Amino acid sequence: MIPKTDFSSSMEILANGNVRYTNAYGSYEFENLPLKKLEGSALAEAKDRLELSLPDSMPDKETTQADQIAFFKRSYMAGSLEGSAKVREAWRDVSGRADEAIGKFMDGTMRGDELASCFQTLAHEMYESTARAAYPIPFVGETMEQACTEAMYDNFREKILGAAVQRNNAEGKQYVTGEMCPQRTWKYYNADYYYKSEDAIAAVTRGMEEFAQDRGWEWTVPDYRGKNLYCNFNTALSNNFCLDEQHILDPDMVPPEGFEWFYQTGGSSGPIIATPVSIITNADGTEKVVYQGQQRQRTKFDPTDYFTATTWAAYTDKEGNRHVVSKDIIFKGDKDDLFNVGDLLVFDLDGEREGLNAFLRNLQLYSKNYFSRYDRPASFNRCV
């Protein structure tokens, strides 16, 4: 376990009236500024400013240790550390070593207990680096160490999920057929990366729990719902912060082991939104809009035609046999271009059917920029 941090410190009033603060990481001198007496209009103005600021600045309740930890934690998140010249290099060193360890774990060359130990070491090093740099303030304390360690746990989660998504997407590119262009889109999901990321997060969580227990901290895993990049592989892969990422309906649903899903659309140099060229009136009075590019008959996926798409799902059973189901899709250029994958693909495997098909129903596919064109929450539901 990481040795306990030395929080001992002293305060000394110097002959010039300044105050010297000393801790295990350095010594800092604070200038003693004389008080300025306010009179007349300056005093009245100061009183007015104080009265105006008090309602907003005063807390509704007494500040607790948890409040203090939450306040300082922001300073130890990746963006804050990267933005500070004081600790940027130290953070980049820790960040790079964290990425390397996570990569080794996902490659299978590092055990879970080793990843947990690596997390503890790097979190402690990061805190000591910030303390030596007097960041974010030149005072040390257990509250700040806990805030830094909790932030490192968040940072590790983000890195783990980011690495899993990156590997998933790099693997999925091999299945894209034809030339990519702005009108095309594709999505790949491999459950192996869900489980690898969950195992990595579990290892780091054990490391954080051991750290907290050793320090006597109160800590539980935060609720990451709504924080897509920190929650799980599903939320990181289909990040709803991006309007066009609406592929997974229930991000808490666990995929079957050995499951894969792939989807791609075609594309062309033409516009993604079809251009209406004529309106045909039917005998019953209904009208049909004919779009440019839709006159020819479409029956299968064409990588050069953005009105076509294809999808497949695969399952590798415990004996190593790979089962695949697939379907081509023809888009209409309207709101009907939203499909539930479970309506398109169905596995018929004894003993595995229910779990596989349930997860297929948890997926949806749609034409490129579908939600950008048809996002009307008041008139229709995004999910099918």
Side-chain angles (χ1 to χ4, degrees):
M1 178 53 65
I2 301 298
K4 294 290 181 68
T5 304
D6 183 3
F7 293 119
S8 60
S9 62
S10 63
M11 302 283 284
E12 177 186 2
I13 299 178
L14 304 178
N16 59 5
N18 292 349
V19 176
R20 176 180 292 146
Y21 168 75
T22 304
N23 59 40
Y25 301 98
S27 182
Y28 312 92
E29 185 173 330
F30 300 95
E31 185 178 357
N32 183 18
L33 297 175
L35 294 177
K36 182 179 180 181
K37 185 177 181 180
L38 298 178
E39 297 179 344
S41 60
L43 178 60
E45 183 179 354
K47 286 182 177 180
D48 290 340
R49 289 180 178 179
L50 179 61
E51 291 175 358
L52 289 173
S53 63
L54 280 178
D56 294 328
S57 62
M58 293 186 66
D60 295 331
K61 60 180 181 179
E62 184 178 350
T63 302
T64 65
Q65 185 177 22
D67 295 329
Q68 296 172 23
I69 292 170
F71 175 81
F72 283 114
K73 183 178 175 179
R74 297 193 294 267
S75 298
Y76 297 108
M77 296 303 292
S80 298
L81 295 172
E82 180 66 29
S84 171
K86 287 184 175 181
V87 294
R88 184 180 299 122
E89 291 305 315
W91 161 245
R92 288 179 177 177
D93 175 63
V94 166
S95 177
R97 290 156 63 194
D99 290 335
E100 182 181 1
I102 291 167
K104 288 181 178 179
F105 180 86
M106 292 196 169
D107 289 337
T109 59
M110 177 179 280
R111 302 190 311 270
D113 60 334
E114 293 175 319
L115 182 60
S117 178
C118 178
F119 161 74
Q120 294 172 346
T121 298
L122 294 180
H124 184 65
E125 285 187 17
M126 192 69 249
Y127 173 69
E128 292 211 310
S129 295
T130 58
R132 283 191 291 270
Y135 174 89
I137 58 175
F139 296 96
V140 298
E142 189 172 359
T143 295
M144 296 178 69
E145 184 188 29
Q146 183 172 351
C148 180
T149 309
E150 288 189 17
M152 288 304 107
Y153 175 78
D154 284 358
N155 292 335
F156 259 76
R157 284 186 73 113
E158 183 181 21
K159 285 178 172 293
I160 288 168
L161 295 177
V165 169
Q166 184 179 33
R167 290 178 177 229
N168 176 90
N169 292 344
E171 182 177 300
K173 284 184 179 180
Q174 66 181 305
Y175 300 116
V176 178
T177 55
E179 296 293 327
M180 284 300 298
C181 65
Q183 287 74 36
R184 298 195 67 182
T185 186
W186 64 276
K187 199 70 178 176
Y188 177 67
Y189 185 103
N190 188 332
D192 287 350
Y193 296 106
Y194 175 92
Y195 288 101
K196 285 182 180 181
S197 61
E198 286 294 298
D199 289 343
I201 288 174
V204 173
T205 301
R206 288 194 299 271
M208 180 66 199
E209 289 173 339
E210 291 173 1
F211 208 124
Q213 184 177 10
D214 180 70
R215 294 307 203 252
W217 298 340
E218 290 186 9
W219 182 84
T220 57
V221 178
D223 183 0
Y224 291 103
R225 285 176 297 180
K227 297 181 179 180
N228 293 333
L229 302 182
Y230 300 89
C231 191
N232 63 29
F233 176 73
N234 293 342
T235 62
L237 180 67
S238 187
N239 183 353
N240 287 344
F241 182 79
C242 174
L243 190 61
D244 288 323
E245 282 293 339
Q246 308 285 336
H247 291 287
I248 300 176
L249 301 179
D250 179 6
D252 294 327
M253 189 174 188
V254 178
E257 293 188 55
F259 174 84
E260 293 174 77
W261 172 63
F262 177 76
Y263 159 68
Q264 66 175 328
T265 67
S268 72
S269 59
I272 185 61
I273 301 177
T275 303
V277 294
S278 63
I279 299 177
I280 299 175
T281 303
N282 300 316
D284 60 0
T286 60
E287 295 181 342
K288 177 182 178 181
V289 179
V290 178
Y291 293 91
Q292 181 181 355
Q294 284 191 308
Q295 289 84 351
R296 74 175 186 266
Q297 186 68 27
R298 292 176 170 86
T299 59
K300 62 180 181 179
F301 170 66
D302 179 352
T304 66
D305 186 350
Y306 58 73
F307 276 98
T308 70
T310 189
T311 185
W312 56 258
Y315 168 67
T316 303
D317 61 29
K318 296 179 181 178
E319 287 72 38
N321 301 313
R322 196 166 187 262
H323 309 269
V324 181
V325 290
S326 62
K327 179 79 172 180
D328 287 351
I329 303 107
I330 308 300
F331 292 128
K332 299 178 180 179
D334 57 24
K335 290 183 180 180
D336 291 335
D337 288 349
L338 176 65
F339 296 88
N340 186 284
V341 177
D343 294 333
L344 302 172
L345 305 176
V346 177
F347 281 102
D348 188 14
L349 299 172
D350 293 338
E352 308 290 343
R353 180 187 302 109
E354 184 176 348
L356 288 167
N357 292 332
F359 198 76
L360 287 174
R361 291 191 295 272
N362 192 40
L363 302 171
Q364 61 182 10
L365 60 83
Y366 37 85
S367 57
K368 174 79 172 181
N369 294 331
Y370 177 85
F371 288 107
S372 299
R373 287 177 284 148
Y374 300 114
D375 181 26
R376 301 289 186 273
S379 60
F380 83 110
N381 195 314
R382 291 181 180 181
C383 306
V384 295

